Amino acid sequence: MPTLILVRHGRSTANTSGLLAGWTPGVALDERGTAQAAALPARLAGLPISEVVASPLQRCQETVRPLLEARPGLRVHTDERIGECHYGDWSGRKLAELSDEPLMEVVQAHPSAAAFPGGESLRAMQTRAAEAVREWNARVERDHGADAVYLMCSHGDIIKSLVADALGLHLDLFQRISVEPCSVTAIRFTRLRPFLIRLGDTGDLASLAPREQPGAAPDEGTGEGDAPLGGGAGAP
């Protein structure tokens, strides 16, 4: 079965503003995110990518654009099932203010029980994304062979949930996974089980450096040790 390259979109204007973007329109890559996207073709140069699938949201479409320009034979397939979680009434709000919501504690500690007001549950998010991957695996294998490689550009919480699914982890453990903007995660599928062969690879170790104020990074807005909802802004 194919190898899936999962790319989180580059850093966005919402990431640097500390907003939970969700499906809010007009959220674009910021200057750094644009540079990250521009570097993506070189990072993937050695991979024979057969298909490119992306979330319909602007920040993902902008992330794959340089890759498509570098490889004129590829085109993007847009799939809403790998779009961001529908955060409902939380969309567009500051993460700092959301940290005081009782639901945030559930999102952090028991995400399989979390459903966003006016939006969807994290369980539903994971289910639709995993179904999309399974369908694309079959399609890519049918059209390009069992050794094919294809790419999906999606969002932090989506990618984390897909990694948990591939590893057989309960969704309640997915907040222990971290993927930075424009990071590469790779899952190789086989007939019996998937193998996680890369996780959140940016080639940049800057995010390992201690924060000046631990737990208070502008993209987090949650308690120390909490996972940034939506994925966070990555290294400063």
Side-chain angles (χ1 to χ4, degrees):
M1 295 179 69
T3 296
L4 169 61
I5 306 298
L6 287 162
V7 176
R8 186 182 167 204
H9 63 77
R11 197 174 74 175
S12 73
T13 53
N15 292 145
T16 45
S17 299
L19 297 175
L20 184 63
W23 286 69
T24 305
V27 176
L29 299 183
D30 68 5
E31 184 176 353
R32 179 170 181 173
T34 300
Q36 289 171 331
L40 195 58
R43 292 172 61 199
L44 300 173
L47 297 179
I49 296 170
S50 58
E51 302 282 1
V52 174
V53 187
S55 157
L57 294 172
Q58 180 179 341
R59 52 198 182 274
C60 287
Q61 297 285 325
E62 289 179 347
T63 298
V64 298
R65 190 172 299 153
L67 178 63
L68 298 174
E69 291 172 352
R71 302 195 189 194
L74 289 176
R75 66 183 183 90
V76 64
H77 302 274
T78 298
D79 193 327
E80 291 194 359
R81 294 174 297 176
I82 61 167
E84 181 63 283
C85 183
H86 291 277
Y87 296 116
D89 298 343
W90 281 26
S91 299
R93 292 179 60 188
K94 284 277 190 181
L95 285 163
E97 68 181 45
L98 289 172
S99 65
D100 295 328
E101 295 279 354
L103 177 60
M104 182 62 85
E105 188 175 15
V106 181
V107 169
Q108 293 294 327
H110 189 20
S112 65
F116 296 98
E120 71 178 335
S121 68
L122 287 170
R123 292 191 318 279
M125 176 202 76
Q126 183 188 44
T127 297
R128 62 173 164 85
E131 287 177 351
V133 167
R134 286 168 173 81
E135 289 183 19
W136 276 102
N137 280 349
R139 177 173 172 176
V140 169
E141 182 171 5
R142 180 197 68 204
D143 295 344
H144 302 283
D147 295 327
V149 177
Y150 74 106
L151 181 146
M152 278 186 170
C153 183
S154 188
H155 306 266
D157 283 345
I158 293 282
I159 294 173
K160 287 162 55 179
S161 76
L162 290 172
V163 169
D165 179 73
L167 292 176
L169 296 177
H170 196 284
L171 184 61
D172 284 346
L173 300 179
F174 100 124
Q175 295 289 30
R176 302 184 185 192
I177 299 166
S178 177
V179 290
E180 292 206 359
C182 225
S183 63
V184 171
T185 295
I187 301 171
R188 179 168 293 142
F189 292 88
T190 73
R191 186 174 64 86
L192 297 179
R193 58 189 170 183
F195 292 87
L196 179 66
I197 52 180
R198 291 287 189 280
L199 176 62
D201 189 344
T202 63
D204 178 5
L205 301 181
S207 64
L208 301 181
R211 303 281 191 180
E212 290 185 10
Q213 295 180 323
D219 58 290
E220 292 179 0
T222 55
E224 184 174 357
D226 282 350
L229 188 58

